[in-house]
Amino acid sequence: MRVPLIAGNWKMNGSLALVEQFGQAFAKADLSSSMEAVILPPSPYLAAAQTAFGKTSLGLGAQTVNPEPSGAYTGEVSASMLSEFGVRYVLVGHSERRSLYQEDDKAVLARAQAILKTGLIPVLCVGETLDERDEGRTETTVLNQVKAVFDMLDAQQRQHMVIAYEPVWAIGTGRTATPEQAQEVHAAIRACLVDYDKQMASRLRLLYGGSMKRENAAELLAQPDIDGGLIGGASLKVDDFLAICQSVG
Ligand code: 13P
């Protein structure tokens, strides 16, 4: 049984006040115990979020990490530092990191390995651009991004991964993949995982991300291979994020 995961990626947004607001709202919220909800705030807010979410069911994640354990890497944060603040999930390969900060598959793999080594869970983000979709290269692009990491992990490590399919053309555009389009790619990812290990493939959680909101969440989450969501814009409004969490059925 795959426990649904709803993850709110705040990107470079939010404030201490928003952290408090989420803490208060989720302390009162009636959420199913058979799902997980996490917020990925910018790292300066992790300490405040750890305190504010302490008495709620909200977990914590981080948006990026440096692959090195420590050292002269000005501005960077290590996986063990994230772990000290109760972080459980860390994004790797988000399309904004790939395109704005030139993080290629090798950089994504190094981060995933550092996260696993620290006992945290990497959320590997994959997705095609609009050009790649139009050229019929959606599956190849997405599966290549998955394989670039999974080929280099051992069987044990693969079990501790989460994958998020985020079509680049759907991120922040208001243009969501239809449930059928998303399900098709999710099914292809799961079929690809079967080549590594059937049981791992049936247990690994696949999230959808890209303009997921309260209006379309239930329909997307009802697809057989969609096990949760990675939410950007709609995770900045507490009522919307809560509604998405409650639409897990
Ligand atoms: P939006 O939900 O704003 O489209 O962002 C999706 C995303 O990139 C989450 O990581």
Side-chain angles (χ1 to χ4, degrees):
M1 187 52 203
R2 302 188 290 266
V3 176
L5 172 63
I6 302 292
N9 174 11
W10 281 7
K11 309 192 179 183
M12 200 172 74
N13 297 298
S15 60
L16 278 177
L18 192 66
V19 168
E20 289 303 322
Q21 207 189 333
F22 268 70
Q24 283 164 18
F26 275 79
K28 290 181 271 174
D30 185 19
L31 277 191
S32 155
S33 56
S34 53
M35 61 93 55
E36 264 187 275
V38 299
I39 290 290
L40 290 62
S43 46
Y45 298 137
L46 285 173
Q50 189 182 25
T51 306
F53 302 169
K55 290 200 177 74
T56 76
S57 55
L58 263 183
L60 263 186
Q63 300 172 19
T64 185
V65 69
N66 187 281
E68 299 298 330
S70 63
Y73 302 100
T74 300
E76 295 293 283
V77 168
S78 74
S80 65
M81 292 171 187
L82 296 176
S83 160
E84 284 192 90
F85 291 95
V87 163
R88 188 161 150 72
Y89 297 95
V90 188
L91 300 185
V92 294
H94 191 283
S95 69
E96 287 150 20
R97 301 292 315 177
R98 290 183 193 262
S99 67
L100 301 172
Y101 303 102
Q102 290 76 46
E103 287 180 9
D104 57 11
D105 285 333
K106 208 170 136 224
V108 174
L109 171 67
R111 283 161 175 73
Q113 281 171 327
I115 294 161
L116 288 164
K117 211 169 161 185
T118 315
L120 307 182
I121 302 174
V123 178
L124 170 63
C125 304
V126 297
E128 81 287 4
T129 61
L130 191 54
D131 281 351
E132 286 163 337
R133 174 162 282 266
D134 288 344
E135 290 160 13
R137 292 193 286 126
T138 297
E139 215 172 280
T140 320
T141 305
V142 167
L143 298 188
N144 281 346
Q145 290 170 341
V146 170
K147 287 187 230 163
V149 172
F150 273 65
D151 277 358
M152 306 307 287
L153 300 180
D154 64 31
Q156 173 84 1
Q157 291 175 314
R158 288 185 198 117
Q159 290 175 22
H160 291 97
M161 298 290 294
V162 170
I163 297 177
Y165 168 56
E166 297 204 300
V168 179
W169 48 271
I171 295 178
T173 58
R175 207 180 137 185
T176 323
T178 63
E180 295 73 28
Q181 281 174 323
Q183 167 58 27
E184 195 182 351
V185 179
H186 281 233
I189 296 172
R190 203 172 306 279
C192 164
L193 297 177
V194 170
D195 292 340
Y196 296 97
D197 176 349
K198 211 168 154 199
Q199 199 176 51
M200 176 275 289
S202 73
R203 288 186 179 166
L204 200 128
R205 288 176 294 178
L206 306 180
L207 316 183
Y208 170 79
S211 299
M212 195 190 256
K213 40 188 184 272
R214 64 195 295 170
E215 293 82 5
N216 59 24
E219 212 186 351
L220 285 158
L221 295 167
Q223 299 301 309
D225 288 298
I226 300 185
D227 310 310
L230 184 53
I231 329 291
S235 72
L236 292 164
K237 295 185 198 117
V238 71
D239 291 347
D240 286 12
F241 188 68
L242 202 45
I244 296 172
C245 292
Q246 284 163 341
S247 65
V248 172

